[in-house]
């Protein structure tokens, strides 16, 4: 679960990273707040759009399994590992 949250957070940060690259290439200091104030709302909106689009894509096109998950259990005194059946 933590991996999934970190992946989505990384996707959210893509517009911010691209804006930092733009500021550096334009010869501006990316650490000055004045360069960020006018663009912050659009960057957050772009990040949320990327995250939502990724979640929708994953929900629509991810692999589906016909069976369900069977947990690890005991059969006739032997441990049977769990898995998708």
């Amino acid at each position: 679960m933590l991996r999934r949250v970190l992946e989505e957070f990384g996707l959210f940060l893509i517009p911010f990273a691209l804006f930092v690259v733009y500021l550096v290439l334009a010869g501006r200091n990316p650490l000055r707040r004045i360069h960020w104030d006018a663009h912050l709302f659009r960057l957050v909106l772009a990040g949320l759009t990327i995250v939502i689009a990724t979640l929708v894509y994953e929900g629509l096109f991810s692999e589906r399994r016909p069976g369900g998950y069977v947990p690890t259990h005991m059969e006739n005194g032997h441990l049977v590992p769990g898995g998708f059946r």
Side-chain angles (χ1 to χ4, degrees):
M1 181 69 185
L2 180 63
R3 179 185 63 96
R4 183 69 178 166
V5 170
L6 291 176
E7 286 175 355
E8 297 301 327
F9 185 67
L11 289 172
F12 177 76
L13 292 179
I14 288 174
F16 295 93
L18 292 175
F19 190 65
V20 166
V21 170
Y22 164 73
L23 288 176
V24 169
L25 291 176
R28 299 179 184 161
N29 184 359
L31 299 178
R32 296 198 56 202
R33 182 178 173 179
I34 192 166
H35 300 304
W36 291 87
D37 287 340
H39 304 284
L40 193 59
F41 179 73
R42 283 182 269 175
L43 292 171
V44 169
L45 194 61
L48 288 176
T49 302
I50 290 172
V51 170
I52 291 170
T54 303
L55 290 173
V56 168
Y57 177 81
E58 292 280 328
L60 293 175
F61 299 109
S62 64
E63 179 183 347
R64 303 280 187 235
R65 301 182 190 274
Y69 180 76
V70 178
T72 303
H73 60 282
M74 297 289 287
E75 282 185 11
N76 300 328
H78 291 74
L79 185 65
V80 178
F84 288 96
R85 314 270 174 181

